Amino acid sequence: MKQAAIADGPELTVVDSMLMKRVFYAFAALAVLSIVISLGGKWFGRSIAMAGYSDDATVREVVIGNNIITVPANFIRFEQARRDGIASRLDLYLRYPQMDGYSEASRDDFNHAGANRNIIFLSFEQQMMSRDMSGRFGPIYSALIVQPGIPGPGGTTVYGFNEKSGYLNEMLVVGKRGGKDLFVARCLSGPSAGESLAPCERDIHVGDDLSLTYRFPKEFLGDWQTLDAAIAAEAGRILKTGH
């Protein structure tokens, strides 16, 4: 019996040692898993909070045709476009009149949390038409609108489109400025205008054969001259041609 007990001693020691190792490894694995979950949770939580936005101010250079657009990443609307390189189109969004991109301080503005809308959407792409919206008024829009127009915000004239124009639920807003081309914008009308974050649209030619379309809240029409000048100035600031 004594010999049997002595013989059993080492075997029990081996079993206890293996058990302790397994317990140690289990606790170590749990600790590592806990760290991974914690870090992953923080990253995932931030990802959800950002909701597709970025507060990264790293400057990106995007090439469209013979043009280089140099903007911080937080100006760029879509995540996959926040990189250097060649593109056929670039979509931006800015806060007006600050003309800045997304940040923690501007989160409510970009999420449209308040009653006021102050985000402008800009799209750069190569020209598809030889004339911009101002240039299209005489040869195209003037034949599609219903005369006479009615007084609009900021001294503009607002025209409805005729039934054959193809511009259903839209109106044309025209502003005169001495010695310069007309300001011309198309805006949604009726219920669809109230549902849109930026129901008005205007395009201008910039850079080297580049078209810039910007969409904006209808409330900005009252200050259309300042708005249009700010957009042109911003385009000039971020845009360089290859010449």
Side-chain angles (χ1 to χ4, degrees), residues 166-210:
Y167 294 107
L168 297 177
N169 300 319
E170 290 191 37
M171 57 186 183
L172 195 71
V173 182
V174 180
K176 294 181 179 180
R177 41 190 179 184
K180 297 182 179 180
D181 291 337
L182 296 171
F183 170 88
V184 181
R186 292 203 328 267
C187 296
L188 297 174
S189 60
S192 55
E195 296 169 0
S196 175
L197 296 173
C200 293
E201 171 181 302
R202 170 168 165 77
D203 64 69
I204 59 176
H205 286 173
V206 295
D208 187 1
D209 294 329
L210 206 61

Side-chain angles (χ1 to χ4, degrees), residues 12-92:
L12 287 172
T13 302
V14 172
V15 171
D16 289 346
S17 176
M18 291 179 62
L19 180 61
M20 290 301 294
K21 286 183 179 179
R22 289 175 181 172
V23 171
F24 172 78
Y25 290 142
F27 276 111
L30 286 173
V32 171
L33 182 61
S34 177
I35 293 172
V36 170
I37 291 174
S38 177
L39 293 176
K42 289 178 180 178
W43 177 87
F44 190 61
R46 173 175 170 79
S47 178
I48 292 175
M50 296 297 282
Y53 298 120
S54 173
D55 56 6
D56 179 13
T58 302
V59 175
R60 300 298 184 188
E61 291 190 350
V62 180
V63 178
I64 302 179
N66 199 39
N67 304 274
I68 302 174
I69 303 171
T70 306
V71 289
N74 64 336
F75 280 48
I76 301 175
R77 189 177 176 191
F78 301 115
E79 182 178 358
Q80 64 270 24
R82 295 174 189 141
R83 58 175 178 79
D84 299 327
I86 298 172
S88 59
R89 176 186 173 108
L90 182 64
D91 294 288
L92 310 178

